[in-house]
Amino acid sequence: VRDLLDFLALSNTNLLAASLGDLREWLAHLVENGASSATLARKGAAIRAFYAWATEAGKVEVDPAARLITPKAANALPKLLSEGQTARLLEHAKKVASETGLPQDLRMWAVCELIYACGLRVSEATGLNVSDLDLSQRIVRVIGKGNKERIVPVGKPAAAALQLWIVQGRPPLLNAAPAGKAPTAALFLGQRGGRWDPRDVRERLHRLAAQAGVPDIAPHGLRHSAATHLLEGGADLRTVQEILGHSSLQTTQRYTHVTTDRLKSAYRLAHPRA
């Protein structure tokens, strides 16, 4: 709404006196300035909601945004790594951690293994407490979007990395907290002993990918890679939905196009009448 207000001010048009034509000109202005379809869809939805309220509240007589059409946001997946590329990334993280033994390297190896093993969002991983992890049962309790709780299995490589982080890497960072500050229950700690910042995880993962010689990847891409590899390995959609914490199965179905493309490729190469 602020963005639209600024645009209308250029022509001295009042926000509550804007016409459908004014709104369309604003969208065209956004396109000219490089706005993506996702941005147009989001801003268009905000304007439609605003004018629906303004009409109901009696601020405007006719809703100018009622017939405002915006392009649908592209339902594209982030970049994915193949199974081989993912293995190379994680093996490199393990190699660095083993060679240096530094807390930050042990932490990076552990968080990468955990995000991939459990398909976690980076905010979910950094939001974990030590008490949420049960290495004896190899499960983790995750609080996801909408404060929804789920229990996710933890694979053996991730469990090994986490065990090393908790025993060797976490204590030095816990001791780095300022004097007098109560110890944090967070599983992953930052350099000053507080909860690790998700932005730092992203920055370090970009660097790690470059060092490992794999395509650039963000934590969310690692989560999507986990989902795709689960489906390719034969997991059913409901299982993947539960692991990822999706509220709708439709969200999980986005991954099927990736596996279907590979299925078609194999079919074309193998079937005599493909």
Side-chain angles (χ1 to χ4, degrees):
V1 175
R2 284 180 184 272
D3 191 292
L4 175 60
L5 186 63
D6 290 340
F7 175 77
L8 294 175
L10 298 174
S11 57
N12 294 318
T13 302
N14 186 288
L15 184 66
L16 298 180
S19 66
L20 177 60
D22 292 324
L23 302 185
R24 286 172 173 166
E25 284 184 18
W26 169 65
L27 289 177
H29 170 74
L30 293 176
V31 172
E32 288 172 3
N33 285 274
S36 67
S37 59
T39 298
L40 295 175
R42 175 173 52 80
K43 293 196 174 190
I47 292 305
R48 283 192 294 271
F50 168 76
Y51 276 110
W53 165 82
T55 305
E56 187 177 343
K59 306 290 184 182
V60 295
E61 292 183 7
V62 180
D63 183 351
R67 292 187 294 120
L68 182 66
I69 298 173
T70 53
K72 289 185 177 180
N75 194 19
L77 288 172
K79 293 178 182 177
L80 303 175
L81 295 182
S82 67
E83 290 186 39
Q85 290 168 338
T86 306
R88 199 185 320 158
L89 176 73
L90 297 176
E91 285 302 315
H92 180 73
K94 179 180 180 180
K95 179 174 179 286
V96 173
S98 301
E99 289 176 352
T100 68
L102 294 173
Q104 57 265 37
D105 292 330
L106 291 167
R107 179 186 60 187
M108 196 62 204
W109 174 36
V111 80
C112 287
E113 287 279 9
L114 182 64
I115 288 174
Y116 179 66
C118 303
L120 300 187
R121 301 175 178 93
V122 65
S123 58
E124 292 172 344
T126 56
L128 290 172
N129 291 331
V130 176
S131 59
D132 294 324
L133 185 66
D134 185 345
L135 288 178
S136 63
Q137 297 292 319
R138 293 217 316 275
I139 55 173
V140 62
R141 171 179 165 270
V142 183
I143 304 298
K145 286 185 176 180
N147 210 32
K148 292 180 181 177
E149 178 182 324
R150 67 186 190 274
I151 303 297
V152 185
V154 179
K156 287 182 179 179
L162 287 163
Q163 179 68 32
L164 209 58
W165 154 248
I166 290 170
V167 173
Q168 294 184 22
R170 190 174 179 275
L173 293 184
L174 189 62
N175 294 332
K181 184 179 179 181
T184 179
L187 174 61
F188 293 109
L189 306 179
Q191 294 305 110
R192 294 179 57 80
R195 193 175 292 276
W196 197 12
D197 189 334
R199 289 172 298 183
D200 191 41
V201 184
R202 293 188 186 96
E203 291 172 7
R204 289 175 182 271
L205 182 54
H206 287 310
R207 291 201 297 268
L208 185 70
Q211 294 166 5
V214 301
D216 187 37
I217 193 78
H220 216 61
L222 206 53
R223 165 178 159 89
H224 286 301
S225 299
T228 303
H229 299 164
L230 276 167
L231 286 170
E232 289 177 344
D236 62 89
L237 273 173
R238 287 289 181 189
T239 299
V240 177
Q241 177 191 11
E242 191 169 343
I243 289 174
L244 296 185
H246 287 156
S247 57
S248 168
L249 190 62
Q250 187 176 1
T251 308
T252 316
Q253 285 176 327
R254 293 187 304 160
Y255 301 105
T256 57
H257 86 269
V258 179
T259 53
T260 302
D261 286 346
R262 297 189 185 184
L263 190 67
K264 286 180 178 177
S265 177
Y267 177 83
R268 283 193 296 267
L269 290 172
H271 199 290
R273 298 180 75 85

